[in-house]
Amino acid sequence: MKKYFFLFLLSFLLGQSIAAQSPDVLTIRKYGTKNAGTIINEFTEFLSIPNVAADTAGQLKTAAFIMAMMNKRGIQKVQLLHASTAGVPPVVYGEVMVPGAKQTLIFYAHYDGQPVNPAQWAKGLEPFQPKLFSNALNKAGTNIPFPADGNYNNEWRIYARGASDDKGGVAAILNAYDAVIKSGLKPGYNLKFFFEGEEEAGSIHLNEILDKYRALLQSDLWIICDGPVHQTGNKQIVFGVRGDTHVDVTVYASKRPLHSGHYGNWAPNPAMM
């Protein structure tokens, strides 16, 4: 939830281009500083819930926590969107309809996580027990207690499974919205929130959900808060998304290996074909 990512979210939420020192941004920063303790306390509770993609119970508990986060912020129509196939982690959905708004944005993030081996974590750390460090581990950061007064340094780091990918995305979106509303600002668009539970498993049933809830998900633009980090470490905005297509190919060839010295160049090679 670094400041530049926050500015990016605020620009979309408010429907205007905003500069780093604009009055609106300064108002939001003041809100963030004043409420940092509350924001981080909620975030660490969120990080404490196991969200491995194959753990159905953990997934449902994570989804329920997100619904509670959304309800607390006054987001409307908070609900679970289920795929047509049984047993698929649901999407957590909510919306905010803004009087006079002519366009609709959907903010996307996912709440599931990759399988984790606790033995592969740094010594003294557990995946679902958030710990605060004075800096990144590769910069000699040391474990420090979460401050009781809620004063946080931007160089401090929280280590836990999903702290970045992608519970960080969920928290950033919802806290950006919270900051806008509680600072007395008005969103410039209708807003919809779409938090998927199957991204780390390949979003295999995402098409079912998009098709089933086509009318509900009508929008003008998707803002996907989950993407690659630039090699320099700088923040980046990517216009467009990556995708992949799965294809099964059946090929036919000889029944036994063919020596290249005897058959090379003239025996059909199905791999090349």
Side-chain angles (χ1 to χ4, degrees):
M1 289 183 284
K2 282 284 193 175
K3 61 182 180 181
Y4 298 110
F5 181 58
F6 216 67
L7 287 175
F8 167 64
L9 290 177
L10 292 175
S11 295
F12 279 105
L13 285 163
L14 294 172
Q16 58 184 292
S17 177
I18 55 178
Q21 297 299 322
S22 72
D24 287 348
V25 170
L26 295 177
T27 297
I28 294 298
R29 284 183 178 167
K30 185 181 296 184
Y31 171 88
T33 300
K34 181 179 179 181
N35 295 279
T38 300
I39 292 171
I40 297 299
N41 287 343
E42 179 187 61
F43 188 45
T44 54
E45 186 178 356
F46 188 26
L47 293 173
S48 299
I49 305 173
N51 66 324
V52 175
D55 176 11
T56 301
Q59 287 281 73
L60 293 177
K61 187 175 180 180
T62 303
F65 190 90
I66 296 173
M67 293 179 74
M69 293 171 71
M70 297 168 74
N71 283 321
K72 183 169 65 175
R73 288 161 171 81
I75 294 172
Q76 303 143 21
K77 290 189 178 180
V78 176
Q79 59 186 287
L80 298 178
L81 308 184
H82 295 276
S84 300
T85 302
V88 176
V91 162
V92 183
Y93 173 86
E95 64 183 37
V96 176
M97 296 293 107
V98 179
K102 297 180 180 179
Q103 293 180 305
T104 300
L105 306 182
I106 296 184
F107 284 88
Y108 168 99
H110 66 88
Y111 64 84
D112 60 320
Q114 286 278 357
V116 56
N117 181 355
Q120 294 178 338
W121 280 68
K123 186 177 180 181
L125 296 181
E126 293 291 336
F128 298 105
Q129 294 179 12
K131 295 289 182 67
L132 183 66
F133 280 74
S134 60
N135 209 321
L137 287 176
N138 61 1
K139 294 182 179 179
T142 57
N143 186 205
I144 57 177
F146 286 91
D149 60 6
N151 291 321
Y152 282 86
N153 184 312
N154 278 341
E155 296 307 314
W156 293 352
R157 298 289 183 269
I158 296 176
Y159 280 87
R161 190 59 158 175
S164 175
D165 183 12
D166 194 26
K167 286 181 177 178
V170 175
I173 291 169
L174 294 180
N175 281 299
Y177 171 74
D178 210 19
V180 166
I181 298 303
K182 290 183 178 177
S183 296
L185 304 174
K186 180 182 176 182
Y189 301 96
N190 295 319
L191 307 174
K192 295 182 179 181
F193 303 90
F194 187 98
F195 301 126
E196 187 192 358
E198 200 186 29
E199 193 271 351
E200 295 291 6
S203 298
I204 300 171
H205 301 91
L206 179 59
N207 62 315
E208 292 183 14
I209 294 174
L210 294 176
D211 187 58
K212 183 176 179 181
Y213 298 95
R214 181 185 299 269
L216 184 66
L217 298 173
Q218 290 297 311
S219 64
D220 297 283
L221 183 70
W222 284 66
I223 312 299
I224 299 178
C225 299
D226 175 44
V229 176
H230 195 271
Q231 292 183 348
T232 63
N234 292 328
K235 307 300 178 290
Q236 66 176 352
I237 298 173
V238 180
F239 294 91
V241 295
R242 299 169 298 167
D244 59 63
T245 299
H246 298 258
V247 179
D248 291 328
V249 179
T250 301
V251 297
Y252 298 91
S254 60
K255 296 180 179 180
R256 61 182 177 81
L258 301 178
H259 191 281
S260 60
H262 292 159
Y263 299 97
N265 297 329
W266 68 268
N269 184 333
M272 296 300 296
M273 294 170 66

